[in-house]
Amino acid sequence: MIVADENIDAKLIASLRALDYEVFSIRENNSGISDQEVLRLANNKKALLITEDADFGKLVNQEKLDHSGIFFIRLSTMPRNERIKVASELIATNFEALKNKYHVLTPLGIRPPLV
């Protein structure tokens, strides 16, 4: 399962659903909840959280809040369609490796590298 933060493009959510991923959209179901609530919801669902919000890094790295995996997408300099294609393909081909870890996707690649 994937939880898509409120800032995730609807086309990325549709792309992942078309690939048969169950995606719970914060925008569709719980718009306006706090980052802590988003993280708690994703953790309760044992879901990978996808977001474009850097605040989640602070929550898990500094405040040590539990998570079931966070995929922080930092591709704002890419055209929208390319950003959606890159993110959905990377999630689809590496879903298991993304679970229970914090990764950042930039135009230069993913950090930390997937193993």
Side-chain angles (χ1 to χ4, degrees), residues 13-65:
I13 293 170
S15 175
L16 292 169
R17 287 176 175 160
L19 294 169
D20 291 328
Y21 285 95
E22 182 180 354
V23 182
F24 182 91
S25 168
I26 296 297
R27 183 182 312 137
E28 294 170 0
N29 296 287
N30 295 83
S31 185
I33 65 173
S34 71
D35 290 346
Q36 290 85 350
E37 291 171 301
V38 170
L39 189 57
R40 187 171 23 260
L41 187 147
N43 200 34
N44 288 342
K45 292 180 176 294
K46 297 186 180 357
L48 173 67
L49 172 63
I50 58 174
T51 186
E52 292 187 14
D53 184 347
D55 291 341
F56 287 97
K58 179 183 175 206
L59 292 176
V60 300
N61 293 317
Q62 293 176 4
E63 296 183 28
K64 305 294 184 199
L65 296 182

Side-chain angles (χ1 to χ4, degrees), residues 48-89:
L48 173 67
L49 172 63
I50 58 174
T51 186
E52 292 187 14
D53 184 347
D55 291 341
F56 287 97
K58 179 183 175 206
L59 292 176
V60 300
N61 293 317
Q62 293 176 4
E63 296 183 28
K64 305 294 184 199
L65 296 182
D66 289 334
H67 66 92
S68 297
I70 298 173
F71 189 55
F72 175 34
I73 302 168
R74 294 187 63 185
L75 300 176
S76 60
T77 59
M78 281 184 169
R80 180 179 184 219
N81 287 339
E82 185 178 348
R83 186 169 61 235
I84 291 164
K85 182 178 187 281
V86 167
S88 63
E89 286 177 359

